Amino acid sequence: MQRSFREGPWNIETEKGPILGNEDVGKYEDKLGIPMPEMVFGSNFLRLTHKDSGKFICFNAFDALSTVKLGEPDLKLAHTDVWKASKKKFKSEVPVEPGQTDYDVDHVHNPYDWTYSIEYQGTTDLNFNKIPESEAMKDSNEIQIPYTKLQRKEPIMFFDDVMLYEDELGDFGICTYSVKIRVMQDSLFLLARMFMRADNVAFRIRDTRVFVDFKLGRVIREYTEKQGSYAFVKDKIPLWEHDFSKMMRDPQWVDTILPLEKIEIDYADI
Amino acid sequence: MDSVIERLHQGEHIPERVVAQICSLAEELLVEESNIQLIPTPVTVCGDIHGQLHDLFTLFETGGACPDERYLFLGDFVDRGFFSVETFLLLLSLKVRYPDRVYLIRGNHESRQISASYGFYDECLRKYGNASVWRMCCEVFDHLSLGALIGGPGGVFCVHGGLSPEIRTMDEIRKIDRKQEVPHEGPMCDLLWSDPEDGYAFDSVDWSLSSRGAGFIFGEAPVKEFHQRNNTTLIARAHQLVVQGYHEMFDGQLVTVWSAPNYCYRCGNDAAVLTIDDDMNREYKVFEASDHTKMHATGQGRAPLPQYFL
């Protein structure tokens, strides 16, 4: 389903459809050289286009997944060492005979970040200026998203929530990437969030927030990284909470628990 | 047992003491089964169900009523969907009522560790107020067999996940002591967890370690080797979502069957079952989500309610 909102200086378009079929998954995999998440919402996107200049910022699944890191991943499953040791033991006891298919527990063919913890901040042709990291950390920094203003419940003229991909990490956790937008009378705000839980290993949240002040013509983009161990988050679940698995897959709640590790702010004037 | 089956069809709650009876009768049957069950043709093979009870009804409409038709379910009965309790109880009740018409093998979700985190445990707590139903079901999980062979020599090897480099022959599977929680290592773990792969430049590799650090991905060579050694022609497995409901690989030597339509109430995928007839012909029957499952669907097709997110 396609939706759009064309009042004000920006055109806002969203599209939501079903997940990719086998054939398209194959095409993505050939192009990107990695296995795709279980659910890739290939036709989904959220796009903001500045009417006067034609400049845009867009979030879509293909561009997002093309930022998945290749090479040895920095996280591994909790039971990796036990599993490898047992396979090595078996191989030493029952050697592979000539002609049999061989296996190697120390070699990953075409390794990639299986947690799909991307740092994607959107696809754009806006000329963003990055403010120094030391500035971005400060509350007194002049260029920042006006959260006080956003806490006021100004009427929302357009809202949407678009999923780009989701993977269950082979039943070892979850990773989702979704984009939400709300458009008010004189501004818009969007949140693109990567949420990842690797069971008994770690949680990660990578958020890209974009705020546009229509009058000022300024686009502010804030990127943050949060991370914490699985045990750290699990310990924070209130004792009276019964629905344990619900808490463990609730990005909003986990976001309140995880410590901030990195913040980057850039802006573009048009 | 007929009245339990009828009640489950009506969506009625099954009291805890009845659950205890079903589980105990099922265990008595399952404990006698070999790790590899021998199943005659014709039979209909079904993939993951994941608590989508109303789609299981559609499955029986698609494949033919039980016990008129013979069924093999490849595991992953529970978790994710909202009716894991009823789904598992219905399959168990059918097994108890028609032991030679219904066959169940174990999926990776039929374990304490996984079903505690992915919905089944929470559902049991919600519906029964305590964990005893979950515990009883987990006891049954430990009795489920690990695989099946359809049709004898030249037949179909069925398993939830896939192959293991520790397993060269089916006799090696028969020797596994299966009555335990699914372990983190060893052949039993591989059979329930491993995945085939023919994409993303998976060239000339027999077995690849997963990027996750543990678990194998297998290519065509181990599949060929397995067929030659065991005199089989097809591996039928489930475990991975496939959008069209089934997906053949390696020139038809392996198939993934997936039987949960519109998975997690938002994927928009089809589901399928595979019927193997007396001449070992394959017939795929595709079906869509039930109206009930569509009712739970979120996100697609309508504008969501505005949120003041930050």
Side-chain angles (χ1 to χ4, degrees):
Chain A
M1 187 179 69
Q2 259 187 325
R3 295 180 66 211
S4 63
F5 183 80
R6 296 175 192 280
E7 289 171 40
W10 293 75
N11 280 338
I12 293 131
E13 295 160 277
T14 60
E15 163 121 26
K16 289 192 270 188
I19 59 170
L20 287 185
N22 297 342
E23 230 172 83
D24 289 325
V25 166
K27 281 183 201 159
Y28 272 46
E29 291 186 343
D30 288 344
K31 276 188 201 152
L32 301 176
I34 53 163
M36 285 296 102
E38 245 180 338
M39 310 169 197
V40 179
F41 296 88
S43 58
N44 287 15
F45 69 83
L46 184 152
R47 186 184 173 99
L48 313 179
T49 313
H50 186 245
K51 284 180 186 171
D52 291 345
S53 67
K55 298 268 185 197
F56 72 96
I57 182 162
C58 168
F59 291 80
N60 67 74
F62 184 83
D63 288 350
L65 288 164
S66 64
T67 68
V68 174
K69 284 188 181 148
L70 303 178
E72 280 297 321
D74 54 356
L75 294 181
K76 56 184 184 178
L77 292 178
H79 63 280
T80 293
D81 295 341
V82 179
W83 186 88
K84 281 191 181 181
S86 96
K87 280 283 176 287
K88 282 183 180 165
K89 182 165 174 279
F90 181 83
K91 200 169 179 178
S92 69
E93 287 166 2
V94 186
V96 174
E97 289 165 25
Q100 275 185 348
T101 53
D102 199 359
Y103 57 100
D104 178 358
V105 292
D106 291 319
H107 175 72
V108 178
H109 189 66
N110 297 332
Y112 68 101
D113 175 15
W114 59 279
T115 69
Y116 300 101
S117 307
I118 57 170
E119 297 167 21
Y120 181 58
Q121 299 177 34
T123 308
T124 183
D125 65 353
L126 285 160
N127 300 315
F128 276 104
N129 305 291
K130 196 171 171 186
I131 70 166
E133 217 163 300
S134 54
E135 283 297 307
M137 295 298 281
K138 289 181 193 158
D139 285 343
S140 60
N141 162 38
E142 264 178 52
I143 296 166
Q144 55 179 309
I145 293 178
Y147 289 108
T148 320
K149 172 186 160 57
L150 287 169
Q151 273 164 353
R152 275 183 239 135
K153 305 231 158 146
E154 293 174 29
I156 294 175
M157 299 160 73
F158 179 83
F159 173 86
D160 215 343
D161 188 350
V162 181
M163 196 79 189
L164 296 188
Y165 66 80
E166 177 171 344
D167 192 69
E168 299 169 341
L169 309 184
D171 294 324
F172 291 111
I174 188 169
C175 179
T176 60
Y177 197 102
S178 64
V179 197
K180 280 183 205 175
I181 185 165
R182 58 176 162 120
V183 185
M184 285 72 67
Q185 185 66 41
D186 57 2
S187 64
L188 69 80
F189 181 57
L190 81 77
L191 166 61
R193 168 167 285 174
M194 189 293 301
F195 171 72
M196 194 285 299
R197 183 192 80 228
D199 288 344
N200 301 307
V201 182
F203 280 86
R204 280 176 179 161
I205 290 181
R206 291 177 176 171
D207 285 339
T208 300
R209 290 179 171 81
V210 175
F211 176 80
V212 183
D213 185 320
F214 297 155
K215 273 189 207 132
L216 208 60
R218 173 167 285 180
V219 181
I220 301 174
R221 178 169 63 176
E222 179 197 272
Y223 170 74
T224 55
E225 289 186 358
K226 292 182 173 185
Q227 178 160 305
S229 77
Y230 184 89
F232 172 79
V233 175
K234 198 178 161 195
D235 283 349
K236 297 284 190 292
I237 294 183
L239 283 174
W240 56 85
E241 180 56 58
H242 281 303
D243 207 335
F244 167 82
S245 63
K246 192 176 138 204
M247 302 293 277
M248 298 299 259
R249 59 171 186 268
D250 179 358
Q252 258 171 301
W253 178 74
V254 175
D255 183 49
T256 63
I257 303 298
L258 293 180
L260 181 66
E261 291 200 335
K262 183 179 184 178
I263 180 164
E264 287 174 6
I265 297 175
D266 56 9
Y267 68 98
D269 289 325
I270 43 173
Chain B
M1 204 45 75
D2 284 334
S3 74
V4 172
I5 293 169
E6 179 56 29
R7 274 164 191 270
L8 285 164
H9 272 99
Q10 300 304 326
E12 286 176 33
H13 180 79
I14 304 298
E16 193 177 315
R17 59 188 166 76
V18 180
V19 177
Q21 281 177 344
I22 300 169
C23 287
S24 131
L25 288 168
E27 271 173 41
E28 278 173 33
L29 270 175
L30 295 171
V31 75
E32 298 299 326
E33 288 181 342
S34 156
N35 287 350
I36 302 267
Q37 299 182 70
L38 299 175
I39 306 178
T41 53
V43 59
T44 296
V45 183
C46 313
D48 295 22
I49 304 295
H50 282 303
Q52 297 185 197
L53 179 72
H54 304 84
D55 297 313
L56 179 58
F57 299 154
T58 312
L59 183 153
F60 285 128
E61 283 166 24
T62 308
C66 177
D68 301 345
E69 302 297 328
R70 191 180 289 117
Y71 280 95
L72 164 63
F73 288 87
L74 299 177
D76 280 12
F77 318 120
V78 300
D79 287 341
R80 315 275 188 200
F82 300 145
F83 303 93
S84 289
V85 176
E86 293 80 3
T87 300
F88 188 54
L89 290 178
L90 178 60
L91 292 172
L92 276 191
S93 307
L94 289 168
K95 175 72 191 168
V96 170
R97 179 69 180 82
Y98 311 108
D100 56 353
R101 304 304 284 175
V102 176
Y103 295 86
L104 308 173
I105 64 179
R106 192 171 191 176
N108 63 305
H109 280 266
E110 277 73 58
S111 88
R112 285 164 190 79
Q113 199 188 346
I114 298 295
S115 71
S117 311
Y118 288 90
F120 183 45
Y121 176 82
D122 295 316
E123 187 188 317
C124 290
L125 273 193
R126 210 164 48 240
K127 290 179 178 169
Y128 291 92
N130 65 64
S132 58
V133 164
W134 175 76
R135 268 191 222 104
M136 288 187 265
C137 291
C138 288
E139 288 291 316
V140 180
F141 293 164
D142 289 343
H143 288 79
L144 290 166
S145 66
L146 306 176
L149 175 65
I150 296 173
V156 183
F157 173 64
C158 306
V159 67
H160 178 71
L163 299 179
S164 165
E166 295 185 38
I167 296 288
R168 304 282 175 177
T169 67
M170 274 190 273
D171 276 338
E172 286 163 7
I173 302 178
R174 292 188 177 100
K175 284 181 211 149
I176 297 172
D177 174 19
R178 74 167 192 263
K179 290 175 195 77
Q180 54 170 320
E181 168 74 347
V182 181
H184 277 311
E185 79 289 312
M188 182 166 156
C189 165
D190 294 344
L191 292 170
L192 270 59
W193 283 93
S194 67
D195 291 324
E197 181 58 63
D198 60 0
Y200 73 101
F202 199 82
D203 45 316
S204 70
V205 179
D206 297 341
W207 301 89
S208 174
L209 175 63
S210 160
S211 280
R212 297 176 189 131
F216 272 124
I217 300 162
F218 55 96
E220 184 170 6
V223 173
K224 262 190 184 160
E225 186 180 73
F226 187 89
H227 284 321
Q228 277 163 9
R229 270 172 201 276
N230 294 284
N231 193 9
T232 47
T233 53
L234 173 67
I235 295 171
R237 46 89 62 172
H239 194 44
Q240 284 176 297
L241 170 64
V242 280
V243 181
Q244 280 90 339
Y246 67 95
H247 179 52
E248 290 195 349
M249 290 167 84
F250 313 133
D251 297 321
Q253 295 181 80
L254 177 143
V255 65
T256 301
V257 182
W258 183 265
S259 305
N262 198 23
Y263 180 47
C264 294
Y265 310 105
R266 63 177 173 279
C267 279
N269 62 289
D270 285 337
V273 292
L274 162 63
T275 301
I276 306 283
D277 73 12
D278 291 338
D279 300 318
M280 303 308 286
N281 295 313
R282 308 170 192 176
E283 187 193 352
Y284 295 102
K285 296 168 185 164
V286 177
F287 61 100
E288 287 181 9
S290 64
D291 290 342
H292 193 280
T293 296
K294 282 180 188 155
M295 218 171 65
H296 282 285
T298 51
Q300 309 289 340
R302 58 196 150 99
L305 287 175
Q307 298 164 11
Y308 283 96
F309 64 89
L310 284 174

